[in-house]
Amino acid sequence: MTNLESFLKERAPADISALLLTIAGTSFLVRRALPFTTKLTRGVNPSGETQAEIDVYANEIFASSLIATGVVGEVASEEMAEPRKGRGKIHVAMDPLDGSSNISTNNPLGSIFGFYSSALPASGEHLVASAYVTYGPLLTLTYTTGGGVHTFVAVEGREGNPFILMEENATIPEKPEVFGLGGQRKDWIEPVERFVSSLESRGMKLRYGGTFVGDFNQVLHYGGIFGYPALKNKPRGKLRTLYEAAPMALIAKQAGGYASDGSRDVLSILPDALAATTPLYLGSSGLVREVEALISGH
Ligand code: FDP
């Protein structure tokens, strides 16, 4: 069985390896804390969302463990107004706990990390690696450093290096099977509504769980499209470019897919603020290009 440490040794730079191993180790602690930290706090994050105890805990433990590696220049987080500074060169943007509305219902949760080579906010063209964790039936770490997408699964009780290789070089299947779009149908911009009607008539299955990480993970394995679209009253969508959209766009691209905001590659967007949002359509290249053409009219 190949473990994460030995796999990274041959394939990833030392600084990124240190960060991925730290995230893997810390995700265990987040997973263990989950049953005891399900309540809401009185605080709100910079996007105005009420924070849950586990949001605050995951933010603190990931931020401090990443800074402690010594290779991080700053950690910016969906849960903090200001980045936390370190002395290294990698700029980390994270959503420490993705899918907070799933906490109380015991549905899947995730964590998302983008590793940028320049100060934040930066466009996804400066991403050198990205990763996501799933807290579902399995605790997994999926990452790319630009050489394909690889997933490791935590084996409880295994001493030393509990994350073992589950899937190497994941690719989004050619034939798309599932789709999931956030927001309410009545609020979708018209081209998105038309696109989804067309997916339904093709027999594709609706799969929407309310966690970006979990919903993307289905698209990665079944093929299809996930989106949080431009809404009539919220043209910039809901998902944050720096913390969520761009890191996952890199993973989609490395798995043979594509991510668009409706008119351009999500990786090319330079957010005008740390918490700036973007409409997002990502998954199988053909489908994403199709919705992009409908929205941008070419
Ligand atoms: P949540 O607000 O629960 O944290 O990150 C934002 C996010 O979850 C995504 O994980 C998810 O895809 C989306 O928002 C869900 O939004 P809706 O509740 O509007 O469906």
Side-chain angles (χ1 to χ4, degrees):
M1 276 191 287
T2 308
N3 69 42
L4 180 61
E5 196 167 14
S6 59
F7 191 84
L8 287 170
K9 209 169 263 171
E10 291 158 26
R11 293 171 184 81
D15 48 4
I16 298 293
S17 298
L19 295 176
L20 290 170
L21 287 165
T22 297
I23 287 167
T26 306
S27 68
F28 253 117
L29 304 178
V30 173
R31 165 90 142 190
R32 269 190 209 142
L34 271 167
F36 312 106
T37 45
T38 55
K39 291 198 192 72
L40 291 176
T41 67
R42 289 196 185 152
V44 289
N45 71 14
S47 303
E49 297 160 344
T50 305
Q51 291 175 311
E53 279 180 274
I54 190 69
D55 286 322
V56 177
Y57 175 80
N59 180 67
E60 184 50 42
I61 197 162
F62 276 124
S64 53
S65 62
L66 288 167
I67 296 279
T69 61
V71 301
V72 168
E74 66 182 319
V75 176
S77 163
E78 194 174 299
E79 302 299 336
M80 298 190 291
E82 294 298 328
R84 200 170 294 180
K85 301 290 178 190
R87 295 210 186 98
K89 289 195 177 130
I90 311 271
H91 303 260
V92 183
M94 67 175 182
D95 178 356
L97 200 80
D98 172 60
S100 304
S101 59
N102 276 358
I103 297 169
S104 57
T105 59
N106 186 25
N107 281 77
L109 297 164
S111 302
I112 304 174
F113 303 87
F115 306 104
Y116 294 82
S117 58
S118 82
L120 303 174
S123 82
E125 280 150 2
H126 296 277
L127 275 168
V128 292
S130 58
Y132 66 85
V133 171
T134 66
Y135 311 91
L138 300 177
L139 177 63
T140 64
L141 173 75
T142 298
Y143 81 90
T144 185
T145 55
V149 175
H150 315 297
T151 296
F152 287 77
V153 59
V155 181
E156 291 281 352
R158 194 167 189 268
E159 289 296 308
N161 296 294
F163 279 81
I164 59 161
L165 183 62
M166 189 166 138
E167 187 175 15
E168 192 173 353
N169 291 317
T171 50
I172 300 177
E174 288 288 316
K175 187 176 168 299
E177 282 188 30
V178 298
F179 69 93
L181 277 92
Q184 293 185 307
R185 198 173 188 120
K186 67 173 175 50
D187 296 327
W188 292 342
I189 54 171
E190 190 275 331
V192 168
E193 212 283 323
R194 231 177 330 132
F195 174 68
V196 171
S197 299
S198 158
L199 298 183
E200 286 163 346
S201 68
R202 292 175 220 180
M204 281 179 61
K205 281 189 275 192
L206 168 65
R207 289 281 179 89
Y208 188 77
T211 307
F212 179 23
V213 160
D215 286 327
F216 172 73
N217 214 31
Q218 313 198 52
V219 168
L220 179 62
H221 292 101
Y222 292 128
I225 187 165
F226 169 81
Y228 209 105
L231 305 178
K232 287 174 193 153
N233 60 352
K234 227 180 178 184
R236 290 181 70 170
K238 178 179 184 189
L239 300 184
R240 279 132 292 216
T241 312
L242 195 67
Y243 305 127
E244 299 170 294
M248 297 297 264
L250 182 68
I251 290 183
K253 187 175 179 184
Q254 282 290 317
Y258 175 52
S260 172
D261 72 346
S263 65
R264 61 191 161 153
D265 188 334
V266 163
L267 291 172
S268 71
I269 302 173
L270 173 59
D272 55 14
L274 290 169
T277 61
T278 177
L280 175 68
Y281 312 89
L282 89 169
S284 302
S285 284
L287 287 183
V288 178
R289 297 218 180 260
E290 200 180 314
V291 72
E292 187 179 60
L294 285 172
I295 293 168
S296 58
H298 50 73

